[in-house]
Amino acid sequence: MHLKALLLLMTSVAFAGCVLPPKEAPHPRGLTSDTVGLSGVAAEPAADGWWDSFQDPQLDRLIRLGLKDSPTLTQAQARVGEALAQEQSAHAGLLPSANLDASALYQRAPQNYVIPPPLAGHSFWEGQAGATLSWDLDFWGRQADAVHRAQDLTQSARFDVDNARLMLAGAITQAYVELYREYALADIAERSEAQRQNIVDITRRRVAAGLDTQLELRQAEGQLPQARVAREQAQAAADLAVHQLAALTGQGADAYASIRRPVLHVEAALPVPTALPINLLARRPDVLSSRLTVEAADAERLAAKAAFYPSVNLRALAGFGAFGMNNLVQGSARGYGAGPLISLPLFDGGRLRAEYRGSEAQLDSAIAGYNDTVLRAVQQTADQITRLDALERERLDQQQTLDATEAAYKLAEERYRAGLASYLSVLNAETQVLSARQGMVDILTSQAVSRVTLLLAVGGSFDPRSSGALADARHAETSSGILTRTNP
């Protein structure tokens, strides 16, 4: 009871002259979950392996190699280690600390000073040995807020690693689809080259039969180099895509030869359901990381506010002290003590106020960053859904165009062979079918890239049940928002 009364008395006296924190300024409003559709239980990001839908072992090998050796991931993982160390350091502030000290000093005491005779004017040993215990009682939660801040930053760093993994896997997959596209365009150029060679052969026979002149033959022969140029351009673009894949997977030029032609199933990969729960966005690693950054900034603000209040410590000491080393081991040399220590800043030149205003500014910045991340997540998802719907309509129309142009080319070739049409009609038909084939490849690969981009936008999977363990219960809410796609 005496200790409690003493603490209350000392605290009351201290508060009479303490430096008060400034009035809290209004902060920006964070976007509410219901407003943007991010309510719902915030789950961990989806597990790896979504790229298996492409059914290409080489793609799986490249992605796993990239996730293993990526410098970006290594940096993100190092930041997690740094955050964990800071968390452990902050947690140590809640625990008692103890020190053991010992010293020995040989000195000569002045004749006329504080040390009385018979030691005055003589030389002697002074020895001390003892233990001290200190414990910050954390009355105002300053250390607890520091721990919460460190924990939030640690989890935020883990989500940054998840985001880096997701973005890297997506970038490798998109580069792989681009490699598939270039090979497909090279096939079209090669097929076109074969068709043009066939027309040259027909034209030569027609010239020999007197049905065509050398003009038509030269025109037909002049189209062959263009097909070879298109094939060579596509092959050069494929080589560039191989270089990009090697760089994304942390490999050098020695890996170029090991990257073979993709065998992707671009039309069937990553099927998108007609309806997506909008709260899938709540598991995006960057959204989760931004939310935790806000909570960490708020914890830092509370810790800065608690610094204005008295700090209360319990201190205890026990040990030995004596003049003369022989006296140090005697029972009369022992001493001990315990009691509270209250510390309150009365004047600091405005340091605490400046730190508090800085913490408020950091909180405002974190809220604005979270809002921006959420809005970008919603926009990216909506954009990709719109793009996928448009691409599906384009694919259906392009398929009709391709069927019609191929039929027209076949008919023009037959009529030219029979002498019923000119070479110009064959050339026009061949140009149209070549363009239609290239357009179909572009649409199919664009659909695959957009499905990958949409999957990245919703956190790694289109299935809400694919999420891992639930995140901290502080984020738990409920919702039933839906994003829908148009059925073609």
Side-chain angles (χ1 to χ4, degrees):
M1 291 296 296
H2 295 292
L3 176 60
K4 184 176 180 180
L6 178 60
L7 288 175
L8 290 176
L9 176 62
M10 295 176 67
T11 302
S12 300
V13 173
F15 267 122
C18 69
V19 179
L20 297 179
K23 184 178 180 181
E24 183 176 352
H27 300 288
R29 294 184 59 185
L31 292 174
T32 61
S33 299
D34 293 336
T35 301
V36 293
L38 292 188
S39 57
V41 176
E44 299 281 354
D48 291 338
W50 52 265
W51 52 84
D52 293 339
S53 176
F54 285 97
Q55 302 178 28
D56 190 328
Q58 180 175 232
L59 174 61
D60 180 75
R61 178 181 66 82
L62 290 173
I63 290 179
R64 296 194 182 281
L65 183 62
L67 295 179
K68 177 183 176 183
D69 298 330
S70 169
T72 302
L73 278 179
T74 301
Q75 290 177 341
Q77 291 164 351
R79 287 192 291 270
V80 173
E82 181 181 358
L84 277 172
Q86 293 177 354
E87 179 182 342
Q88 294 171 355
S89 176
H91 192 268
L94 293 174
L95 303 176
S97 63
N99 293 304
L100 179 63
D101 301 295
S103 65
L105 177 65
Y106 185 75
Q107 61 176 321
R108 175 180 172 81
Q111 181 70 39
N112 300 309
Y113 195 51
V114 296
I115 299 178
L119 298 177
H122 293 82
S123 297
F124 56 88
W125 281 95
E126 179 184 355
Q128 293 183 354
T132 59
L133 176 69
S134 177
W135 188 10
D136 187 346
L137 298 183
D138 197 28
F139 271 9
W140 319 109
R142 181 181 183 182
Q143 292 295 335
D145 289 328
V147 171
H148 291 158
R149 173 183 177 273
Q151 290 173 339
D152 290 336
L153 290 179
T154 299
Q155 187 59 44
S156 175
R158 289 194 178 103
F159 285 137
D160 288 339
V161 173
D162 292 332
N163 189 59
R165 292 176 62 87
L166 185 61
M167 293 299 106
L168 178 60
I172 294 174
T173 303
Q174 291 171 339
Y176 201 70
V177 171
E178 178 63 22
L179 179 60
Y180 171 89
R181 173 182 178 273
E182 299 305 335
Y183 272 111
L185 292 178
D187 287 344
I188 292 174
E190 185 175 353
R191 183 177 176 183
S192 176
E193 183 180 357
Q195 289 176 339
R196 291 180 181 183
Q197 182 63 57
N198 183 50
I199 294 298
V200 169
D201 296 339
I202 294 174
T203 304
R204 285 173 179 166
R205 290 194 296 268
R206 286 172 57 85
V207 169
L211 300 176
D212 276 337
T213 67
Q214 290 293 323
L215 174 61
E216 283 80 12
L217 179 59
R218 295 294 178 262
Q219 288 177 334
E221 291 175 341
Q223 298 302 313
L224 275 174
Q226 294 182 2
R228 286 195 291 268
V229 168
R231 176 169 51 83
E232 291 168 357
Q233 289 176 341
Q235 185 58 54
D239 291 341
L240 295 178
V242 167
H243 302 169
Q244 183 182 13
L245 278 169
L248 287 171
T249 55
Q251 302 179 90
D254 56 339
Y256 294 167
S258 65
I259 300 178
R260 305 298 182 182
R261 177 171 182 161
V263 291
L264 294 175
H265 295 73
V266 290
E267 297 183 62
L270 296 179
V272 182
T274 56
L276 290 172
I278 198 171
N279 61 12
L280 286 177
L281 303 182
R283 72 173 180 205
R284 276 180 51 142
D286 56 343
V287 171
L288 294 170
S289 178
S290 295
R291 180 182 294 183
L292 286 167
T293 301
V294 172
E295 296 189 7
D298 190 49
E300 184 174 7
R301 179 187 64 84
L302 294 176
K305 187 175 183 179
F308 287 90
Y309 304 134
S311 62
V312 181
N313 287 267
L314 288 181
R315 300 186 64 185
L317 56 90
F320 299 86
F323 293 109
M325 300 302 293
N326 294 331
N327 297 328
L328 187 62
V329 296
Q330 297 181 5
S332 58
R334 70 180 184 274
Y336 52 84
L341 173 64
I342 297 181
S343 176
L344 177 69
L346 298 179
F347 178 75
D348 62 356
R351 177 182 58 84
L352 289 178
R353 287 177 174 267
E355 291 178 352
Y356 183 73
R357 285 193 293 267
S359 66
E360 286 196 315
Q362 290 181 357
L363 177 59
D364 293 346
S365 177
I367 294 173
Y370 172 73
N371 290 346
D372 180 66
T373 301
V374 168
L375 292 177
R376 283 190 292 106
V378 174
Q379 178 190 355
Q380 290 169 2
T381 304
D383 286 351
Q384 292 307 315
I385 289 177
T386 299
R387 180 167 176 76
L388 282 171
D389 290 338
L391 285 171
E392 180 59 22
R393 292 190 294 269
E394 291 177 21
R395 187 191 67 81
L396 295 175
D397 292 339
Q398 189 67 22
Q399 186 63 57
Q400 295 178 1
T401 300
L402 180 58
D403 293 341
T405 55
E406 287 184 337
Y409 175 76
K410 183 178 181 181
L411 180 60
E413 182 183 357
E414 292 175 351
R415 286 173 58 81
Y416 181 63
R417 186 191 304 270
L420 301 177
S422 67
Y423 173 73
L424 182 60
S425 63
V426 176
L427 180 60
N428 289 336
E430 196 268 348
T431 301
Q432 291 177 5
V433 76
L434 175 62
S435 177
R437 289 169 182 168
Q438 292 174 337
M440 180 57 74
V441 169
D442 287 339
I443 289 174
L444 291 177
T445 53
S446 294
Q447 281 183 313
V449 169
S450 291
R451 289 196 296 270
V452 171
T453 306
L454 177 60
L455 181 135
L456 301 180
V458 297
S461 172
F462 301 130
D463 185 0
R465 296 168 299 179
S466 67
S467 301
L470 296 182
D472 194 289
R474 287 175 292 176
H475 308 318
E477 300 170 6
T478 58
S479 177
S480 59
I482 295 293
L483 288 170
T484 58
R485 294 186 59 236
T486 302
N487 285 317

